[in-house]
Amino acid sequence: MARDDPSGAAGSTRDTALPAILDCDTGHDDAMAILLAAGTLDLRGVTTVHGNSTVELTTVNTCKVLELAGLADVPVAVGAPQSWKREISHAPGIHGVTGMDGPDLPPPSLKPIDEPAIEFFHRSAAEVDGLHLVATGPLTNIGAALRSHGGRLASRIAGISLMGGSTGLGSATAAAEFNIWADPEAADVVFRSGVPIRMVGLNVTRQVPATPSHRRRIRALGTRTGRAVAELLDFYSEQLALRYGLPGASMHDPLAVSALADPQVLRFESMQVDIELSGEHTYGMTVCDRRHLSTDAAGLVRQRDPFGRPNAEVAVAVDPERFWERFIAVLAGYP
Ligand code: RIB
Ligand code: CA
């Protein structure tokens, strides 16, 4: 069982916290997602996947973060080393050679369990009613799990909250966000699965940068976790400033946790989302059908029912300060 929510926020005490497995390619913002998930959800385990770096490194980084925060009781199951079709594509340019450069964290004594990620999903889903999945990396593991065992997993999963895609700008390419772009075929299986999806894309996550002021507040916690998180954000912010000119590291992955643990941080609209699998310039794009929405002075307005077959709740607005208050309060509960 995960720790009580140190922030004491309503709706996330030990008894009411939603059961979830976090699937991640631990890099900098995945580390934040792990910490937020363990403090606000009933975190039943973490599964690792290729993405920001090799699955070996994302697994070591996951174990480092859990050990740092005193969460060594959370099981870690190793997943896929590469995507279904495309050549391996990591992001050393952003996350560094370790996949989580910045703080000097010791090699972890925590080791992953022997059970592969896909089996861990299936066993957990059979044992836990109302289990949610939170995905913060390429969807290779979850897509494979939904396709395996006769597709039975979809009926046992209450929902998938994922960081991925965008209603507009891309990151890996002009059209595609990295997590979806890294394995579009797996993402296509997930978005066609019928499992309720909350999609948190770049269109909202880039509105939540870790400014120097946020990093000062986190460093001022005076704990080993606070120091490590501040160093992670310093490194990640520098890389994103160099690459995209952003004012601070975007809090991509922890916002996928907020989508489940504190949905009021975001505003969602129902729409059909398709994954582009053949476009020369758009391969890996999340094609979001927003024809039923318009924008006026007050923001986004729904004009009619969504077109087509709505298959996802897509985040279209975010409350950064609500996110930061909750996130920093949870961090304060770690050693
Ligand atoms: O596009 C942002 C996503 O790509 C995040 O999950 C980040 O960790 C990287 O994997
Ligand atoms: Ca990630």
Side-chain angles (χ1 to χ4, degrees):
M1 279 291 281
R3 49 189 305 117
D4 280 335
D5 174 8
S7 70
S12 59
T13 58
R14 187 181 289 268
D15 299 334
T16 58
L18 295 172
I21 292 174
L22 175 63
D23 186 72
C24 53
D25 60 334
T26 306
H28 296 74
D29 51 337
D30 305 78
M32 317 286 154
I34 292 170
L35 295 171
L36 185 58
T40 56
L41 298 169
D42 175 6
L43 186 61
R44 294 302 180 99
V46 180
T47 50
T48 58
V49 68
H50 70 92
N52 287 327
S53 59
T54 63
V55 71
E56 290 78 13
L57 282 175
T58 65
T59 302
V60 165
N61 292 338
T62 297
C63 293
K64 282 182 177 179
V65 173
L66 290 170
E67 217 156 63
L68 168 78
L71 299 167
D73 59 333
V74 177
V76 177
V78 180
Q82 67 180 44
S83 63
W84 294 358
K85 276 184 73 176
R86 70 175 319 132
E87 287 306 307
I88 284 188
S89 48
H90 303 316
I94 290 185
H95 296 272
V97 291
T98 68
M100 199 171 71
D101 282 13
D104 181 17
L105 298 177
S109 51
L110 173 62
K111 298 297 180 211
I113 59 176
D114 291 335
E115 190 176 30
I118 290 182
E119 297 317 315
F120 183 72
F121 285 141
H122 283 286
R123 181 172 60 81
S124 302
E127 293 169 358
V128 180
D129 291 335
L131 181 68
H132 287 261
L133 302 182
V134 180
T136 63
L139 293 168
T140 309
N141 289 341
I142 295 177
L146 287 169
R147 275 199 323 188
S148 63
H149 296 59
R152 286 195 299 275
L153 183 65
S155 64
R156 290 290 300 166
I157 296 295
I160 298 173
S161 295
L162 62 92
M163 191 282 142
S166 172
T167 61
L169 70 166
S171 55
T173 70
E177 176 280 327
F178 177 80
N179 286 341
I180 306 298
W181 173 84
D183 199 338
E185 288 71 23
D188 186 50
V189 166
V190 173
F191 277 83
R192 292 176 185 271
S193 67
V195 176
I197 289 173
R198 284 180 184 150
M199 178 184 124
V200 180
L202 294 173
N203 54 293
V204 292
T205 63
R206 278 220 176 161
Q207 298 177 46
V208 190
T211 64
S213 160
H214 294 119
R215 288 179 254 156
R216 276 194 297 275
R217 284 178 62 189
I218 291 169
R219 192 171 262 108
L221 292 174
T223 60
R224 69 173 194 241
T225 302
R227 276 191 303 278
V229 169
E231 289 168 5
L232 285 168
L233 288 172
D234 286 343
F235 180 90
Y236 197 27
S237 298
E238 188 180 328
Q239 301 308 311
L240 293 182
L242 286 171
R243 189 181 184 98
Y244 298 113
L246 295 178
S250 309
M251 299 304 277
H252 303 299
D253 293 341
L255 281 163
V257 176
S258 299
L260 180 58
D262 187 13
Q264 289 183 303
V265 165
L266 297 153
R267 183 155 76 82
F268 295 90
E269 285 292 347
S270 180
M271 62 185 79
Q272 180 171 329
V273 179
D274 294 303
I275 309 300
E276 178 56 65
L277 299 179
S278 60
E280 179 186 352
H281 304 291
T282 55
Y283 181 54
M285 177 179 179
T286 48
V287 182
C288 301
D289 190 338
R290 288 167 293 154
R291 289 177 289 174
H292 59 303
L293 303 173
S294 64
T295 307
D296 67 10
L300 213 54
V301 179
R302 190 182 312 141
Q303 301 294 358
R304 48 153 286 173
D305 289 343
F307 286 75
R309 300 169 284 94
N311 58 337
E313 293 295 316
V314 176
V316 295
V318 62
D319 179 347
E321 284 325 303
R322 183 181 175 106
F323 167 78
W324 282 112
E325 290 316 305
R326 187 76 181 277
F327 179 59
I328 295 175
V330 167
L331 286 185
Y334 291 119

PDB file of all heavy atoms in Angstrom, residues 281-316:
ATOM      1  N   HIS A 281       4.981  13.165 -42.654  1.00  0.00           N
ATOM      2  CA  HIS A 281       5.330  14.249 -41.729  1.00  0.00           C
ATOM      3  C   HIS A 281       4.573  14.154 -40.399  1.00  0.00           C
ATOM      4  O   HIS A 281       4.841  14.916 -39.486  1.00  0.00           O
ATOM      5  CB  HIS A 281       4.997  15.608 -42.377  1.00  0.00           C
ATOM      6  CG  HIS A 281       5.649  15.811 -43.697  1.00  0.00           C
ATOM      7  ND1 HIS A 281       7.009  15.982 -43.837  1.00  0.00           N
ATOM      8  CD2 HIS A 281       5.130  15.813 -44.959  1.00  0.00           C
ATOM      9  CE1 HIS A 281       7.303  16.119 -45.119  1.00  0.00           C
ATOM     10  NE2 HIS A 281       6.183  16.016 -45.827  1.00  0.00           N
ATOM     11  N   THR A 282       3.606  13.228 -40.340  1.00  0.00           N
ATOM     12  CA  THR A 282       2.723  13.229 -39.164  1.00  0.00           C
ATOM     13  C   THR A 282       2.721  11.894 -38.421  1.00  0.00           C
ATOM     14  O   THR A 282       1.897  11.687 -37.538  1.00  0.00           O
ATOM     15  CB  THR A 282       1.282  13.532 -39.611  1.00  0.00           C
ATOM     16  OG1 THR A 282       0.933  12.568 -40.623  1.00  0.00           O
ATOM     17  CG2 THR A 282       1.151  14.942 -40.164  1.00  0.00           C
ATOM     18  N   TYR A 283       3.630  10.983 -38.772  1.00  0.00           N
ATOM     19  CA  TYR A 283       3.693   9.664 -38.111  1.00  0.00           C
ATOM     20  C   TYR A 283       3.797   9.868 -36.591  1.00  0.00           C
ATOM     21  O   TYR A 283       4.658  10.605 -36.111  1.00  0.00           O
ATOM     22  CB  TYR A 283       4.921   8.920 -38.626  1.00  0.00           C
ATOM     23  CG  TYR A 283       5.145   7.533 -38.068  1.00  0.00           C
ATOM     24  CD1 TYR A 283       4.151   6.560 -38.132  1.00  0.00           C
ATOM     25  CD2 TYR A 283       6.366   7.180 -37.496  1.00  0.00           C
ATOM     26  CE1 TYR A 283       4.365   5.283 -37.645  1.00  0.00           C
ATOM     27  CE2 TYR A 283       6.591   5.907 -37.000  1.00  0.00           C
ATOM     28  CZ  TYR A 283       5.588   4.947 -37.084  1.00  0.00           C
ATOM     29  OH  TYR A 283       5.809   3.684 -36.604  1.00  0.00           O
ATOM     30  N   GLY A 284       2.864   9.261 -35.834  1.00  0.00           N
ATOM     31  CA  GLY A 284       2.891   9.363 -34.373  1.00  0.00           C
ATOM     32  C   GLY A 284       2.094  10.531 -33.829  1.00  0.00           C
ATOM     33  O   GLY A 284       2.045  10.767 -32.622  1.00  0.00           O
ATOM     34  N   MET A 285       1.421  11.249 -34.708  1.00  0.00           N
ATOM     35  CA  MET A 285       0.602  12.389 -34.261  1.00  0.00           C
ATOM     36  C   MET A 285      -0.683  11.887 -33.615  1.00  0.00           C
ATOM     37  O   MET A 285      -1.267  10.895 -34.071  1.00  0.00           O
ATOM     38  CB  MET A 285       0.264  13.290 -35.456  1.00  0.00           C
ATOM     39  CG  MET A 285      -0.641  14.466 -35.156  1.00  0.00           C
ATOM     40  SD  MET A 285      -0.927  15.447 -36.659  1.00  0.00           S
ATOM     41  CE  MET A 285      -2.007  16.707 -35.999  1.00  0.00           C
ATOM     42  N   THR A 286      -1.150  12.566 -32.549  1.00  0.00           N
ATOM     43  CA  THR A 286      -2.492  12.298 -32.005  1.00  0.00           C
ATOM     44  C   THR A 286      -3.443  13.251 -32.711  1.00  0.00           C
ATOM     45  O   THR A 286      -3.420  14.460 -32.471  1.00  0.00           O
ATOM     46  CB  THR A 286      -2.535  12.554 -30.483  1.00  0.00           C
ATOM     47  OG1 THR A 286      -1.939  13.835 -30.209  1.00  0.00           O
ATOM     48  CG2 THR A 286      -1.813  11.461 -29.716  1.00  0.00           C
ATOM     49  N   VAL A 287      -4.260  12.712 -33.593  1.00  0.00           N
ATOM     50  CA  VAL A 287      -5.206  13.521 -34.362  1.00  0.00           C
ATOM     51  C   VAL A 287      -6.476  13.677 -33.522  1.00  0.00           C
ATOM     52  O   VAL A 287      -7.253  12.740 -33.369  1.00  0.00           O
ATOM     53  CB  VAL A 287      -5.516  12.859 -35.728  1.00  0.00           C
ATOM     54  CG1 VAL A 287      -6.463  13.736 -36.539  1.00  0.00           C
ATOM     55  CG2 VAL A 287      -4.216  12.611 -36.507  1.00  0.00           C
ATOM     56  N   CYS A 288      -6.627  14.870 -32.923  1.00  0.00           N
ATOM     57  CA  CYS A 288      -7.723  15.114 -31.967  1.00  0.00           C
ATOM     58  C   CYS A 288      -8.853  15.860 -32.685  1.00  0.00           C
ATOM     59  O   CYS A 288      -8.644  16.980 -33.167  1.00  0.00           O
ATOM     60  CB  CYS A 288      -7.214  15.947 -30.797  1.00  0.00           C
ATOM     61  SG  CYS A 288      -5.858  15.178 -29.891  1.00  0.00           S
ATOM     62  N   ASP A 289     -10.053  15.274 -32.708  1.00  0.00           N
ATOM     63  CA  ASP A 289     -11.179  15.887 -33.410  1.00  0.00           C
ATOM     64  C   ASP A 289     -11.864  16.901 -32.488  1.00  0.00           C
ATOM     65  O   ASP A 289     -12.634  16.545 -31.619  1.00  0.00           O
ATOM     66  CB  ASP A 289     -12.186  14.802 -33.849  1.00  0.00           C
ATOM     67  CG  ASP A 289     -13.237  15.385 -34.787  1.00  0.00           C
ATOM     68  OD1 ASP A 289     -13.441  16.628 -34.756  1.00  0.00           O
ATOM     69  OD2 ASP A 289     -13.861  14.591 -35.529  1.00  0.00           O
ATOM     70  N   ARG A 290     -11.546  18.180 -32.703  1.00  0.00           N
ATOM     71  CA  ARG A 290     -12.080  19.248 -31.849  1.00  0.00           C
ATOM     72  C   ARG A 290     -13.108  20.085 -32.611  1.00  0.00           C
ATOM     73  O   ARG A 290     -13.369  21.246 -32.251  1.00  0.00           O
ATOM     74  CB  ARG A 290     -10.929  20.133 -31.358  1.00  0.00           C
ATOM     75  CG  ARG A 290     -10.031  19.449 -30.306  1.00  0.00           C
ATOM     76  CD  ARG A 290      -8.762  20.224 -30.108  1.00  0.00           C
ATOM     77  NE  ARG A 290      -7.945  20.173 -31.310  1.00  0.00           N
ATOM     78  CZ  ARG A 290      -7.055  21.114 -31.622  1.00  0.00           C
ATOM     79  NH1 ARG A 290      -6.904  22.182 -30.853  1.00  0.00           N
ATOM     80  NH2 ARG A 290      -6.337  21.005 -32.725  1.00  0.00           N
ATOM     81  N   ARG A 291     -13.745  19.505 -33.632  1.00  0.00           N
ATOM     82  CA  ARG A 291     -14.671  20.293 -34.449  1.00  0.00           C
ATOM     83  C   ARG A 291     -15.887  20.753 -33.651  1.00  0.00           C
ATOM     84  O   ARG A 291     -16.599  21.666 -34.068  1.00  0.00           O
ATOM     85  CB  ARG A 291     -15.092  19.475 -35.676  1.00  0.00           C
ATOM     86  CG  ARG A 291     -13.976  19.295 -36.699  1.00  0.00           C
ATOM     87  CD  ARG A 291     -14.422  18.419 -37.837  1.00  0.00           C
ATOM     88  NE  ARG A 291     -14.556  17.018 -37.410  1.00  0.00           N
ATOM     89  CZ  ARG A 291     -15.059  16.065 -38.203  1.00  0.00           C
ATOM     90  NH1 ARG A 291     -15.506  16.367 -39.415  1.00  0.00           N
ATOM     91  NH2 ARG A 291     -15.118  14.811 -37.765  1.00  0.00           N
ATOM     92  N   HIS A 292     -16.164  20.099 -32.493  1.00  0.00           N
ATOM     93  CA  HIS A 292     -17.328  20.486 -31.675  1.00  0.00           C
ATOM     94  C   HIS A 292     -16.982  21.583 -30.666  1.00  0.00           C
ATOM     95  O   HIS A 292     -17.835  21.973 -29.861  1.00  0.00           O
ATOM     96  CB  HIS A 292     -17.858  19.247 -30.924  1.00  0.00           C
ATOM     97  CG  HIS A 292     -16.853  18.597 -30.012  1.00  0.00           C
ATOM     98  ND1 HIS A 292     -15.635  18.137 -30.439  1.00  0.00           N
ATOM     99  CD2 HIS A 292     -16.891  18.340 -28.689  1.00  0.00           C
ATOM    100  CE1 HIS A 292     -14.989  17.598 -29.441  1.00  0.00           C
ATOM    101  NE2 HIS A 292     -15.712  17.701 -28.353  1.00  0.00           N
ATOM    102  N   LEU A 293     -15.754  22.058 -30.705  1.00  0.00           N
ATOM    103  CA  LEU A 293     -15.292  23.056 -29.734  1.00  0.00           C
ATOM    104  C   LEU A 293     -14.944  24.351 -30.452  1.00  0.00           C
ATOM    105  O   LEU A 293     -14.498  24.349 -31.596  1.00  0.00           O
ATOM    106  CB  LEU A 293     -14.046  22.544 -28.996  1.00  0.00           C
ATOM    107  CG  LEU A 293     -14.173  21.201 -28.258  1.00  0.00           C
ATOM    108  CD1 LEU A 293     -12.812  20.763 -27.745  1.00  0.00           C
ATOM    109  CD2 LEU A 293     -15.172  21.325 -27.117  1.00  0.00           C
ATOM    110  N   SER A 294     -15.195  25.445 -29.762  1.00  0.00           N
ATOM    111  CA  SER A 294     -14.724  26.726 -30.292  1.00  0.00           C
ATOM    112  C   SER A 294     -14.137  27.509 -29.132  1.00  0.00           C
ATOM    113  O   SER A 294     -14.246  27.095 -27.975  1.00  0.00           O
ATOM    114  CB  SER A 294     -15.887  27.516 -30.908  1.00  0.00           C
ATOM    115  OG  SER A 294     -16.805  27.835 -29.860  1.00  0.00           O
ATOM    116  N   THR A 295     -13.535  28.613 -29.404  1.00  0.00           N
ATOM    117  CA  THR A 295     -12.897  29.404 -28.352  1.00  0.00           C
ATOM    118  C   THR A 295     -13.466  30.810 -28.341  1.00  0.00           C
ATOM    119  O   THR A 295     -13.583  31.450 -29.395  1.00  0.00           O
ATOM    120  CB  THR A 295     -11.366  29.475 -28.607  1.00  0.00           C
ATOM    121  OG1 THR A 295     -10.879  28.140 -28.756  1.00  0.00           O
ATOM    122  CG2 THR A 295     -10.656  30.130 -27.425  1.00  0.00           C
ATOM    123  N   ASP A 296     -13.896  31.238 -27.157  1.00  0.00           N
ATOM    124  CA  ASP A 296     -14.320  32.639 -27.052  1.00  0.00           C
ATOM    125  C   ASP A 296     -13.501  33.297 -25.939  1.00  0.00           C
ATOM    126  O   ASP A 296     -12.569  32.677 -25.400  1.00  0.00           O
ATOM    127  CB  ASP A 296     -15.838  32.736 -26.777  1.00  0.00           C
ATOM    128  CG  ASP A 296     -16.195  32.194 -25.397  1.00  0.00           C
ATOM    129  OD1 ASP A 296     -15.258  31.934 -24.588  1.00  0.00           O
ATOM    130  OD2 ASP A 296     -17.381  32.000 -25.119  1.00  0.00           O
ATOM    131  N   ALA A 297     -13.867  34.487 -25.567  1.00  0.00           N
ATOM    132  CA  ALA A 297     -13.061  35.229 -24.572  1.00  0.00           C
ATOM    133  C   ALA A 297     -12.925  34.415 -23.286  1.00  0.00           C
ATOM    134  O   ALA A 297     -11.916  34.481 -22.583  1.00  0.00           O
ATOM    135  CB  ALA A 297     -13.725  36.556 -24.282  1.00  0.00           C
ATOM    136  N   ALA A 298     -13.959  33.597 -22.983  1.00  0.00           N
ATOM    137  CA  ALA A 298     -13.915  32.842 -21.712  1.00  0.00           C
ATOM    138  C   ALA A 298     -13.123  31.548 -21.872  1.00  0.00           C
ATOM    139  O   ALA A 298     -12.946  30.786 -20.924  1.00  0.00           O
ATOM    140  CB  ALA A 298     -15.342  32.507 -21.279  1.00  0.00           C
ATOM    141  N   GLY A 299     -12.666  31.270 -23.075  1.00  0.00           N
ATOM    142  CA  GLY A 299     -11.886  30.040 -23.280  1.00  0.00           C
ATOM    143  C   GLY A 299     -12.648  29.080 -24.175  1.00  0.00           C
ATOM    144  O   GLY A 299     -13.440  29.496 -25.019  1.00  0.00           O
ATOM    145  N   LEU A 300     -12.442  27.804 -23.954  1.00  0.00           N
ATOM    146  CA  LEU A 300     -12.994  26.785 -24.846  1.00  0.00           C
ATOM    147  C   LEU A 300     -14.481  26.593 -24.593  1.00  0.00           C
ATOM    148  O   LEU A 300     -14.928  26.494 -23.455  1.00  0.00           O
ATOM    149  CB  LEU A 300     -12.267  25.469 -24.560  1.00  0.00           C
ATOM    150  CG  LEU A 300     -12.040  24.515 -25.729  1.00  0.00           C
ATOM    151  CD1 LEU A 300     -11.336  25.207 -26.875  1.00  0.00           C
ATOM    152  CD2 LEU A 300     -11.226  23.323 -25.252  1.00  0.00           C
ATOM    153  N   VAL A 301     -15.275  26.539 -25.642  1.00  0.00           N
ATOM    154  CA  VAL A 301     -16.727  26.357 -25.527  1.00  0.00           C
ATOM    155  C   VAL A 301     -17.139  25.140 -26.340  1.00  0.00           C
ATOM    156  O   VAL A 301     -16.740  24.980 -27.499  1.00  0.00           O
ATOM    157  CB  VAL A 301     -17.483  27.600 -26.070  1.00  0.00           C
ATOM    158  CG1 VAL A 301     -18.990  27.387 -25.981  1.00  0.00           C
ATOM    159  CG2 VAL A 301     -17.065  28.854 -25.304  1.00  0.00           C
ATOM    160  N   ARG A 302     -17.931  24.234 -25.717  1.00  0.00           N
ATOM    161  CA  ARG A 302     -18.420  23.070 -26.448  1.00  0.00           C
ATOM    162  C   ARG A 302     -19.687  23.467 -27.187  1.00  0.00           C
ATOM    163  O   ARG A 302     -20.653  23.890 -26.578  1.00  0.00           O
ATOM    164  CB  ARG A 302     -18.715  21.944 -25.451  1.00  0.00           C
ATOM    165  CG  ARG A 302     -19.009  20.611 -26.098  1.00  0.00           C
ATOM    166  CD  ARG A 302     -19.342  19.562 -25.054  1.00  0.00           C
ATOM    167  NE  ARG A 302     -18.382  19.568 -23.970  1.00  0.00           N
ATOM    168  CZ  ARG A 302     -18.721  19.391 -22.680  1.00  0.00           C
ATOM    169  NH1 ARG A 302     -19.973  19.244 -22.347  1.00  0.00           N
ATOM    170  NH2 ARG A 302     -17.781  19.381 -21.745  1.00  0.00           N
ATOM    171  N   GLN A 303     -19.712  23.342 -28.493  1.00  0.00           N
ATOM    172  CA  GLN A 303     -20.849  23.805 -29.297  1.00  0.00           C
ATOM    173  C   GLN A 303     -21.885  22.705 -29.525  1.00  0.00           C
ATOM    174  O   GLN A 303     -23.053  22.980 -29.751  1.00  0.00           O
ATOM    175  CB  GLN A 303     -20.334  24.301 -30.669  1.00  0.00           C
ATOM    176  CG  GLN A 303     -19.324  25.438 -30.574  1.00  0.00           C
ATOM    177  CD  GLN A 303     -19.929  26.731 -30.023  1.00  0.00           C
ATOM    178  OE1 GLN A 303     -21.139  26.799 -29.746  1.00  0.00           O
ATOM    179  NE2 GLN A 303     -19.114  27.751 -29.830  1.00  0.00           N
ATOM    180  N   ARG A 304     -21.471  21.455 -29.492  1.00  0.00           N
ATOM    181  CA  ARG A 304     -22.372  20.323 -29.780  1.00  0.00           C
ATOM    182  C   ARG A 304     -21.702  19.061 -29.263  1.00  0.00           C
ATOM    183  O   ARG A 304     -20.601  19.120 -28.709  1.00  0.00           O
ATOM    184  CB  ARG A 304     -22.643  20.202 -31.271  1.00  0.00           C
ATOM    185  CG  ARG A 304     -21.416  20.249 -32.160  1.00  0.00           C
ATOM    186  CD  ARG A 304     -21.601  19.512 -33.456  1.00  0.00           C
ATOM    187  NE  ARG A 304     -21.564  18.054 -33.244  1.00  0.00           N
ATOM    188  CZ  ARG A 304     -21.839  17.168 -34.218  1.00  0.00           C
ATOM    189  NH1 ARG A 304     -22.212  17.589 -35.412  1.00  0.00           N
ATOM    190  NH2 ARG A 304     -21.763  15.870 -33.979  1.00  0.00           N
ATOM    191  N   ASP A 305     -22.362  17.910 -29.443  1.00  0.00           N
ATOM    192  CA  ASP A 305     -21.741  16.645 -29.063  1.00  0.00           C
ATOM    193  C   ASP A 305     -20.499  16.433 -29.931  1.00  0.00           C
ATOM    194  O   ASP A 305     -20.441  16.906 -31.072  1.00  0.00           O
ATOM    195  CB  ASP A 305     -22.724  15.482 -29.278  1.00  0.00           C
ATOM    196  CG  ASP A 305     -23.850  15.508 -28.249  1.00  0.00           C
ATOM    197  OD1 ASP A 305     -23.672  16.214 -27.222  1.00  0.00           O
ATOM    198  OD2 ASP A 305     -24.886  14.863 -28.491  1.00  0.00           O
ATOM    199  N   PRO A 306     -19.530  15.671 -29.381  1.00  0.00           N
ATOM    200  CA  PRO A 306     -18.325  15.406 -30.179  1.00  0.00           C
ATOM    201  C   PRO A 306     -18.646  14.664 -31.472  1.00  0.00           C
ATOM    202  O   PRO A 306     -19.614  13.905 -31.531  1.00  0.00           O
ATOM    203  CB  PRO A 306     -17.468  14.521 -29.260  1.00  0.00           C
ATOM    204  CG  PRO A 306     -18.013  14.738 -27.879  1.00  0.00           C
ATOM    205  CD  PRO A 306     -19.455  15.073 -28.038  1.00  0.00           C
ATOM    206  N   PHE A 307     -17.848  14.893 -32.480  1.00  0.00           N
ATOM    207  CA  PHE A 307     -17.962  14.164 -33.745  1.00  0.00           C
ATOM    208  C   PHE A 307     -17.397  12.751 -33.581  1.00  0.00           C
ATOM    209  O   PHE A 307     -16.615  12.488 -32.663  1.00  0.00           O
ATOM    210  CB  PHE A 307     -17.169  14.877 -34.846  1.00  0.00           C
ATOM    211  CG  PHE A 307     -17.812  16.153 -35.358  1.00  0.00           C
ATOM    212  CD1 PHE A 307     -17.780  17.312 -34.594  1.00  0.00           C
ATOM    213  CD2 PHE A 307     -18.452  16.190 -36.593  1.00  0.00           C
ATOM    214  CE1 PHE A 307     -18.365  18.490 -35.045  1.00  0.00           C
ATOM    215  CE2 PHE A 307     -19.043  17.359 -37.053  1.00  0.00           C
ATOM    216  CZ  PHE A 307     -19.002  18.517 -36.277  1.00  0.00           C
ATOM    217  N   GLY A 308     -17.812  11.847 -34.503  1.00  0.00           N
ATOM    218  CA  GLY A 308     -17.196  10.517 -34.581  1.00  0.00           C
ATOM    219  C   GLY A 308     -17.435   9.667 -33.347  1.00  0.00           C
ATOM    220  O   GLY A 308     -18.498   9.690 -32.730  1.00  0.00           O
ATOM    221  N   ARG A 309     -16.381   8.927 -32.947  1.00  0.00           N
ATOM    222  CA  ARG A 309     -16.451   7.984 -31.813  1.00  0.00           C
ATOM    223  C   ARG A 309     -15.519   8.496 -30.714  1.00  0.00           C
ATOM    224  O   ARG A 309     -14.344   8.137 -30.703  1.00  0.00           O
ATOM    225  CB  ARG A 309     -15.978   6.595 -32.257  1.00  0.00           C
ATOM    226  CG  ARG A 309     -16.754   5.933 -33.373  1.00  0.00           C
ATOM    227  CD  ARG A 309     -16.013   4.702 -33.892  1.00  0.00           C
ATOM    228  NE  ARG A 309     -14.865   5.097 -34.753  1.00  0.00           N
ATOM    229  CZ  ARG A 309     -13.616   5.252 -34.348  1.00  0.00           C
ATOM    230  NH1 ARG A 309     -13.296   5.038 -33.071  1.00  0.00           N
ATOM    231  NH2 ARG A 309     -12.675   5.648 -35.185  1.00  0.00           N
ATOM    232  N   PRO A 310     -16.043   9.341 -29.790  1.00  0.00           N
ATOM    233  CA  PRO A 310     -15.132   9.836 -28.747  1.00  0.00           C
ATOM    234  C   PRO A 310     -14.518   8.665 -27.982  1.00  0.00           C
ATOM    235  O   PRO A 310     -15.229   7.775 -27.525  1.00  0.00           O
ATOM    236  CB  PRO A 310     -16.053  10.666 -27.847  1.00  0.00           C
ATOM    237  CG  PRO A 310     -17.250  10.978 -28.682  1.00  0.00           C
ATOM    238  CD  PRO A 310     -17.405   9.847 -29.645  1.00  0.00           C
ATOM    239  N   ASN A 311     -13.197   8.628 -27.871  1.00  0.00           N
ATOM    240  CA  ASN A 311     -12.512   7.515 -27.178  1.00  0.00           C
ATOM    241  C   ASN A 311     -11.563   8.005 -26.101  1.00  0.00           C
ATOM    242  O   ASN A 311     -10.798   7.217 -25.537  1.00  0.00           O
ATOM    243  CB  ASN A 311     -11.746   6.657 -28.191  1.00  0.00           C
ATOM    244  CG  ASN A 311     -10.713   7.480 -28.969  1.00  0.00           C
ATOM    245  OD1 ASN A 311     -10.832   8.690 -29.089  1.00  0.00           O
ATOM    246  ND2 ASN A 311      -9.672   6.829 -29.466  1.00  0.00           N
ATOM    247  N   ALA A 312     -11.570   9.315 -25.843  1.00  0.00           N
ATOM    248  CA  ALA A 312     -10.661   9.838 -24.814  1.00  0.00           C
ATOM    249  C   ALA A 312     -11.206  11.141 -24.242  1.00  0.00           C
ATOM    250  O   ALA A 312     -11.914  11.901 -24.913  1.00  0.00           O
ATOM    251  CB  ALA A 312      -9.268  10.085 -25.406  1.00  0.00           C
ATOM    252  N   GLU A 313     -10.875  11.352 -22.959  1.00  0.00           N
ATOM    253  CA  GLU A 313     -11.064  12.656 -22.309  1.00  0.00           C
ATOM    254  C   GLU A 313      -9.705  13.355 -22.452  1.00  0.00           C
ATOM    255  O   GLU A 313      -8.691  12.875 -21.922  1.00  0.00           O
ATOM    256  CB  GLU A 313     -11.401  12.472 -20.832  1.00  0.00           C
ATOM    257  CG  GLU A 313     -12.760  11.831 -20.572  1.00  0.00           C
ATOM    258  CD  GLU A 313     -13.910  12.708 -21.051  1.00  0.00           C
ATOM    259  OE1 GLU A 313     -13.865  13.931 -20.787  1.00  0.00           O
ATOM    260  OE2 GLU A 313     -14.812  12.171 -21.703  1.00  0.00           O
ATOM    261  N   VAL A 314      -9.673  14.436 -23.198  1.00  0.00           N
ATOM    262  CA  VAL A 314      -8.411  15.102 -23.504  1.00  0.00           C
ATOM    263  C   VAL A 314      -8.299  16.385 -22.692  1.00  0.00           C
ATOM    264  O   VAL A 314      -9.233  17.206 -22.678  1.00  0.00           O
ATOM    265  CB  VAL A 314      -8.317  15.412 -25.012  1.00  0.00           C
ATOM    266  CG1 VAL A 314      -7.060  16.201 -25.340  1.00  0.00           C
ATOM    267  CG2 VAL A 314      -8.365  14.111 -25.828  1.00  0.00           C
ATOM    268  N   ALA A 315      -7.175  16.556 -21.992  1.00  0.00           N
ATOM    269  CA  ALA A 315      -6.964  17.774 -21.192  1.00  0.00           C
ATOM    270  C   ALA A 315      -6.803  18.968 -22.122  1.00  0.00           C
ATOM    271  O   ALA A 315      -5.975  18.948 -23.039  1.00  0.00           O
ATOM    272  CB  ALA A 315      -5.733  17.613 -20.315  1.00  0.00           C
ATOM    273  N   VAL A 316      -7.629  20.007 -21.862  1.00  0.00           N
ATOM    274  CA  VAL A 316      -7.579  21.200 -22.709  1.00  0.00           C
ATOM    275  C   VAL A 316      -7.215  22.459 -21.923  1.00  0.00           C
ATOM    276  O   VAL A 316      -6.955  23.510 -22.514  1.00  0.00           O
ATOM    277  CB  VAL A 316      -8.924  21.435 -23.444  1.00  0.00           C
ATOM    278  CG1 VAL A 316      -9.206  20.309 -24.428  1.00  0.00           C
ATOM    279  CG2 VAL A 316     -10.076  21.566 -22.444  1.00  0.00           C
TER     280      VAL A 316
END
